[in-house]
Amino acid sequence: MLELSCFFILLLFLFCYFYTKSFFHPSVIICSVWGGLLLAYSFFDHPLYDLSNRFFYVLWLWILPFCLCSLAFSRRVIKISCKIKSNDFNAEVFKKLYPYVIGFSLCFIFLFIFYSRGEIAAIRELLLEEELPPLLKLGFYLSSFFSIYTFYAILNYKYLSKKKIVMLLVLILIISLLKSNKTSFIALFCGILYCLYKNGKLRIKYLLISILVLLGLVSLVSIGRADYNFESDSGVLNFVYIYTLSPLTAFDSLINNEITISEGTIGSSTFTFLYKILAIFGIPLKFSDLGTWVYVPLPTNVFTTLRGFYMDFGCWGVTLISAFLGSIWGILYKFQEKNYGIFVLFYASMVFSLFIQFFGDYFFYTMSVTIQYLFFSFLLQSKFKVKKKLHQNKK
């Protein structure tokens, strides 16, 4: 079943690519990601358990509706307001914001150093606390704007000095390192590659350099966090398997009831952000477990993007949410293809979530961040006209 699925995903990938002529179309991305992972699962001599037929059944319930809906909706012409179609670079606004963004970034870095007392090991402990210091929490919200602002600069590099763009990239990399969050690196690099692609500047050498830098930074963060014992036998290879292939095995074990995790209130795995808002108003809700460690036999605490959808709504939920998300991504692709500035920025900030579907859900589960990215994209790219009425006293 593994080899058969690899073959059909390859065929689907070729169909989607030749139909769209774009490596950044949602259908092409998820086919390449899932197909690549299954090929790796088939060819590499890893210690992970074999995948069951049920896993491939659920996986196809996810891939097929997503691809078909994203292809269909990316070809539809959808009319939107002229107010959000603008793709002009507002140099004046960018220049006014630039010193504030740089100042915020330096302050954010200083806050990390201050609260961790200058100890690198203490940064991770700080981030694991249930309640972050208010200033640091504010910094995390503003860092979402920093990401959008950086993509905005790269997309409009023709109008800016290279020094400004390099400064933004250096600062955002330092902040990502301090966050000790591997996902932030992936989001940044996927966004940068998309911006280069959008500008017609994506080259093989840039892709290879980006992959090498990304692997180096992810490894650096993992060593700093002591995520894994690299000195053990096959330590480096097992580390790679844990972060790429083990989520597939863990999800397979979950759907075959070989492992159990708390399901919580129905819908709490998918609509966590909404349920947390409802909980503030005193509505009794129980949230499903996230980050439960299991052994397959390598240790892992992620179960692919399908975890929440399957736990809440079963196979029907996987199919319906796949069709819904595929439709949303198809529409977003169409808008960015039309160069609607807001959606070009939003696509740059969210495209990473397609590349790491094997890891987790970064659309619904982190909906607050998704909303922030959309809001900041609208804020930067939209043009607001403020009319002032001058009242003159008539003599």
Side-chain angles (χ1 to χ4, degrees), residues 152-163:
Y152 189 51
I154 298 172
L155 285 166
N156 297 281
Y157 75 97
K158 295 178 182 178
Y159 308 101
L160 301 171
S161 68
K162 291 183 179 179
K163 290 181 179 179

Side-chain angles (χ1 to χ4, degrees), residues 4-53:
L4 192 63
S5 291
C6 289
F7 175 73
F8 280 111
I9 290 179
L10 175 61
L11 290 181
L12 185 60
F13 166 79
L14 293 174
F15 170 77
C16 292
Y17 175 71
F18 286 110
Y19 184 75
T20 63
K21 300 293 192 299
S22 171
F23 282 112
F24 275 91
H25 191 279
S27 63
V28 176
I29 292 174
I30 73 160
C31 283
S32 60
V33 168
W34 287 107
L37 288 169
L38 292 184
L39 281 173
Y41 215 100
S42 174
F43 285 107
F44 288 110
D45 185 22
H46 57 77
L48 299 166
Y49 301 140
D50 292 335
L51 298 172
S52 69
N53 289 341

Side-chain angles (χ1 to χ4, degrees), residues 51 84 93 119 137-138 148 155 163 171 199 205 215 219 230 232 246 257 262 264 287 295 298 308 330 333 340 345:
L51 298 172
I84 58 176
V93 171
E119 300 175 9
K137 187 184 293 186
L138 176 63
I148 299 293
L155 285 166
K163 290 181 179 179
L171 289 174
N199 284 325
K205 65 177 182 179
L215 290 175
S219 300
F230 290 93
S232 62
S246 70
N257 299 314
S262 175
F287 295 92
Y295 293 86
L298 295 176
Y333 182 84
Y340 298 160
L345 271 176

Side-chain angles (χ1 to χ4, degrees), residues 235-246:
V236 174
L237 280 177
N238 285 344
F239 170 75
V240 174
Y241 296 145
I242 286 172
Y243 278 96
T244 55
L245 303 181
S246 70

Side-chain angles (χ1 to χ4, degrees), residues 58-94:
V58 177
L59 181 61
W60 277 109
L61 290 179
W62 175 257
I63 293 176
L64 271 180
F66 190 101
C67 288
L68 293 176
C69 289
S70 63
L71 287 171
F73 278 87
S74 65
R75 291 301 165 196
R76 291 180 62 86
V77 177
I78 301 173
K79 295 182 179 181
I80 60 174
S81 172
C82 292
K83 293 181 180 179
I84 58 176
K85 287 185 178 181
S86 172
N87 193 40
D88 297 331
F89 177 62
N90 196 328
E92 184 180 353
V93 171
F94 184 91

Side-chain angles (χ1 to χ4, degrees), residues 321-360:
I321 293 175
S322 172
F324 174 75
L325 272 179
S327 304
I328 294 296
W329 276 104
I331 294 170
L332 288 174
Y333 182 84
K334 184 65 176 181
F335 286 167
Q336 68 81 35
E337 188 179 47
K338 289 285 187 180
N339 287 324
Y340 298 160
I342 294 170
F343 298 102
V344 172
L345 271 176
F346 185 63
Y347 205 90
S349 64
M350 288 299 300
V351 70
F352 82 96
S353 64
L354 295 174
F355 283 98
I356 58 173
Q357 283 193 356
F358 68 94
F359 200 75

